[in-house]
Amino acid sequence: MMQTIKIKYFTDKIEKLTYIDGKSDWIDLRAAEDIDLKKGEFKLVPLGVAMQLPEGYEAHIVPRSSTFKNFGIIQTNHQGVVDCSYCGDNDQWFMPVLAVRDTHISVNDRICQFRIMENQPKIQFDEVVSLDGTDRGGFGSTGKQ
């Protein structure tokens, strides 16, 4: 079943949201204004949109794979999560960034992407002394530190 999501644009200077050229179910987000940053500067980059997500859903916002190479910025929260309560007329989405070099971001530049996810189901924890799974060595998939 296709979900319908209300969206408000804060500017007509950015392209309307669309899926990434049939390659992915992620959707690009664009800078809503021209921004100049010096190395070491922090900025909340306005993304020019607000949305009313359905109850039980959230948006996950991450950099595009080319964002660091093209702009020299790092998303400071590494992954943004927008829940369905952030849905008012003034709840514009932003990307918090730190510049690692002097850079310029132009209005309409694609700097991050998002997808809509269902909220995690309600869970409870069952504390045990031992787990039944295979012991892989305690560090990631290699077991090596």
Side-chain angles (χ1 to χ4, degrees):
M1 178 175 100
M2 183 176 294
Q3 292 282 351
T4 299
I5 296 175
K6 292 180 181 178
I7 184 168
K8 176 182 176 178
Y9 288 93
F10 288 82
T11 179
D12 59 1
K13 295 179 182 175
I14 60 173
E15 291 181 29
K16 304 292 185 199
L17 299 187
T18 60
Y19 283 104
I20 301 173
D21 297 332
K23 302 177 203 169
S24 172
D25 63 352
W26 289 79
I27 300 170
D28 285 335
L29 291 164
R30 298 168 181 272
E33 63 184 42
D34 289 324
I35 295 170
D36 288 302
L37 292 166
K38 297 289 185 196
K39 180 179 178 178
E41 280 188 313
F42 170 82
K43 172 82 174 170
L44 289 174
V45 178
L47 301 173
V49 296
M51 293 182 214
Q52 189 172 354
L53 302 178
E55 187 73 30
Y57 287 83
E58 61 195 21
H60 295 185
I61 302 170
V62 298
R64 298 180 77 242
S65 59
S66 61
T67 297
F68 184 78
K69 175 182 67 80
N70 290 343
F71 303 106
I73 57 174
I74 295 173
Q75 184 173 345
T76 59
N77 59 353
H78 304 290
Q79 173 180 303
V81 177
V82 178
D83 66 34
C84 66
S85 70
Y86 192 69
C87 60
D89 263 346
N90 296 308
D91 291 336
Q92 180 174 197
W93 292 10
F94 290 84
M95 180 185 185
V97 302
L98 178 69
V100 298
R101 61 175 163 81
D102 291 359
T103 191
H104 174 78
I105 302 167
S106 295
V107 68
N108 206 44
D109 279 345
R110 297 178 300 162
I111 60 168
C112 56
Q113 58 191 331
F114 79 100
R115 71 183 315 170
I116 306 296
M117 304 289 296
E118 273 191 90
N119 294 137
Q120 177 174 282
K122 298 286 185 208
I123 60 172
Q124 67 179 24
F125 293 100
D126 181 15
E127 188 174 341
V128 297
V129 173
S130 180
L131 301 173
D132 298 331
T134 303
D135 190 346
R136 294 176 44 190
F139 188 81
S141 61
T142 65
K144 298 178 183 175
Q145 295 185 18

